[in-house]
Amino acid sequence: MAFQLTISEGKDAGKEFVFDQDSVLIGRTSECDVVLYDPGVSRRHCRILKMGEGYGVEDQKSANGTLINGAAVQKQALTDGDAITLGPVTFLFALAQDDATTGEEDAPQEDGANSTRIVSMDSLRKQRNKKAASTLDHMREYFPEYDQPCATRAENKRAEYGL
């Protein structure tokens, strides 16, 4: 069963996102599933997780707390229409409709301040793998000895300098 988060207050108000996973971490760091670039949001602010037949929210010891319908909570079950407030951003929670889309293709491409970025773990892994491959290609191009074991490189340098 999937759930939907709609930004009702904040820079990207009106955007809808669907998650089909048992746990979603929301916070300021790139390790989070939902990244909110705002100082009012903790690095690991809260987690939405499967609880029995539905979902719940659990505060991750955030500095400013997690509010559900205006009340601070540590851990609470969620129902359709609940408002989840983290700093200046408020999400509306709903169980997802079958025809809902993830909205990831509509996410802003720029990395601007005070913006919200929703990412899937698969797309994040692909992006990191692509960056790692490009770095490796760069290293091989400019440092041909890069693929050699450390001991071999050391022996080559000693020979090069006559040691």
Side-chain angles (χ1 to χ4, degrees):
M1 171 176 38
F3 66 92
Q4 178 176 327
L5 292 176
T6 303
I7 301 175
S8 63
E9 293 179 29
K11 181 179 181 283
D12 293 320
K15 288 209 178 225
E16 298 177 348
F17 303 95
V18 176
F19 296 93
D20 192 16
Q21 56 200 67
D22 290 343
S23 176
V24 172
L25 182 62
I26 303 173
R28 233 179 34 232
T29 66
S30 60
E31 75 185 46
C32 296
D33 301 300
V34 179
V35 179
L36 302 172
Y37 294 109
D38 190 280
V41 176
S42 293
R43 288 185 292 261
R44 296 172 51 98
H45 201 103
C46 74
R47 182 179 300 279
I48 297 177
L49 61 146
K50 187 102 168 106
M51 290 176 71
E53 294 296 315
Y55 287 93
V57 66
E58 182 177 58
D59 187 75
Q60 301 291 295
K61 300 179 181 171
S62 63
N64 294 322
T66 300
L67 306 178
I68 303 299
N69 301 323
V73 299
Q74 289 302 310
K75 187 172 186 176
Q76 180 176 318
L78 292 169
T79 59
D80 274 343
D82 278 348
I84 305 167
T85 303
L86 315 171
V89 179
T90 299
F91 294 98
L92 289 180
F93 173 85
L95 294 177
Q97 303 299 319
D98 290 336
D99 60 347
T101 62
T102 62
E104 192 168 297
E105 59 277 356
D106 299 329
Q109 296 299 315
E110 74 279 350
D111 260 348
N114 298 325
S115 66
T116 302
R117 181 173 56 133
I118 310 293
V119 295
S120 71
M121 290 307 292
D122 287 339
S123 66
L124 187 59
R125 282 187 196 104
K126 286 177 189 174
Q127 181 183 3
R128 287 181 178 165
N129 288 343
K130 192 182 295 183
K131 184 175 180 181
S134 134
T135 301
L136 184 58
D137 289 344
H138 175 80
M139 293 298 288
R140 286 180 175 147
E141 180 181 349
Y142 292 98
F143 304 98
E145 71 277 5
Y146 182 75
D147 281 329
Q148 296 175 347
C150 186
T152 305
R153 288 192 305 241
E155 288 174 22
N156 291 346
K157 287 296 180 188
R158 277 193 221 96
E160 183 182 328
Y161 293 115
L163 300 174

